[in-house]
Amino acid sequence: MKKGILFDLDGTLWDSSEEVAVSWQEAIKKHSDAEIEITTEMIQSVMGKSMTEIADIFFKEYDSKTRLELLEHCCEEENAYIRQHGGKLLEGLEATLRKLQELGYHLYIVSNCQVGYIESFLEYHKLGGYFDDFESFGGTGREKGYNIRLVTERNHLDSAVYVGDTQGDYLAATKAGLPFIHAKTGYGAVEAQAPFIEKLPQLPEVAEAVFREIMP
């Protein structure tokens, strides 16, 4: 039986909100006369939303064409900045990933980010060897629930669980037909009864319990 654990990225595996805010502010200065201030708190408030949703929130005073142009510049600057500076890994991340692999789990990332963001995370922190596959909103143009199901199917997983930190993650996992583990390490609350972790090193034990329930 091939078992998979699919992860959200922001708030679940790392916190890059400060780095993203710096890069977006720089992109806006380079490519626009707009007086828009992007703060770490603003970035944290939209983590988990798709890139187009974020553009609609941050650049709402502009027409759709300008919003998308600004978004493109911001995403390009963001990927370049992350590749050079990385982000803040959650405590115990690599040891937890190693333990999960030792327990026989195949690991994946599904995020609502642009193409290049997951790659930058893996490249800077040298974590690519832990993950079999990943997918993003930028890669498919589809919502997270679709992408969770896509990764599950194309990797021929017999059973899988999604780990995330927001209500949107919970709803996406539910849409994809997967059980959910709430990572209370991140940006959001979940309005449902679900297994949870408060620190990443708790995940192997919680995952084992979840898989015992879904794989009798």
Side-chain angles (χ1 to χ4, degrees):
M1 298 288 284
K2 187 176 181 180
K3 300 181 296 182
I5 298 179
L6 287 70
F7 291 91
D8 169 56
L9 181 49
D10 294 309
T12 302
L13 300 179
W14 78 341
D15 178 5
S16 67
S17 54
E18 182 177 349
E19 291 77 13
V20 172
V22 169
S23 65
W24 278 48
Q25 194 70 69
E26 186 63 26
I28 292 169
K29 289 179 181 177
K30 285 182 180 179
H31 300 286
S32 172
D33 295 328
E35 294 184 1
I36 301 173
E37 181 182 8
I38 303 294
T39 67
T40 300
E41 292 73 23
M42 289 171 64
I43 294 296
Q44 291 176 347
S45 73
V46 297
M47 285 296 191
K49 297 184 182 298
S50 71
M51 303 311 297
T52 52
E53 288 175 320
I54 294 172
D56 289 342
I57 293 169
F58 286 172
F59 310 135
K60 59 185 177 182
E61 63 267 40
Y62 299 98
D63 60 50
S64 58
K65 180 175 180 293
T66 303
R67 290 181 194 180
L68 292 177
E69 288 174 349
L70 281 170
L71 176 64
E72 182 177 358
H73 292 311
C74 288
C75 288
E76 289 175 354
E77 190 76 25
E78 177 183 326
N79 287 345
Y81 192 88
I82 292 293
R83 280 195 300 272
Q84 292 182 8
H85 301 278
K88 299 174 182 64
L89 299 182
L90 268 67
E91 184 176 354
L93 174 59
E94 189 164 7
T96 300
L97 298 177
R98 188 182 305 115
K99 178 65 174 178
L100 291 170
Q101 281 192 332
E102 291 171 355
L103 290 170
Y105 295 109
H106 295 264
L107 309 180
Y108 310 87
I109 299 173
V110 179
S111 171
N112 268 339
C113 60
Q114 72 275 13
V115 170
Y117 182 74
I118 299 174
E119 294 91 328
S120 297
F121 160 74
L122 296 174
E123 179 182 332
Y124 182 86
H125 294 288
K126 297 179 173 56
L127 295 172
Y130 292 103
F131 296 95
D132 293 4
D133 192 10
F134 57 82
E135 193 52 86
S136 65
F137 172 80
T140 65
R142 300 291 297 269
E143 74 283 356
K144 186 175 279 188
Y146 173 91
N147 289 330
I148 291 172
R149 174 50 51 186
L150 175 66
V151 169
T152 301
E153 291 178 350
R154 77 183 178 200
N155 287 281
H156 308 290
L157 297 177
D158 296 302
S159 189
V161 62
Y162 189 70
V163 182
D165 66 313
T166 68
Q167 179 72 8
D169 291 334
Y170 168 78
L171 293 174
T174 300
K175 183 174 183 180
L178 266 62
F180 178 76
I181 296 175
H182 179 202
K184 294 186 176 182
T185 52
Y187 304 114
V190 171
E191 298 175 3
Q193 293 293 325
F196 65 88
I197 58 171
E198 295 178 318
K199 297 180 180 180
L200 270 177
Q202 297 171 342
L203 182 57
E205 181 179 355
V206 174
E208 289 280 89
V210 171
F211 277 98
R212 281 195 296 269
E213 290 187 6
I214 62 178
M215 296 178 64

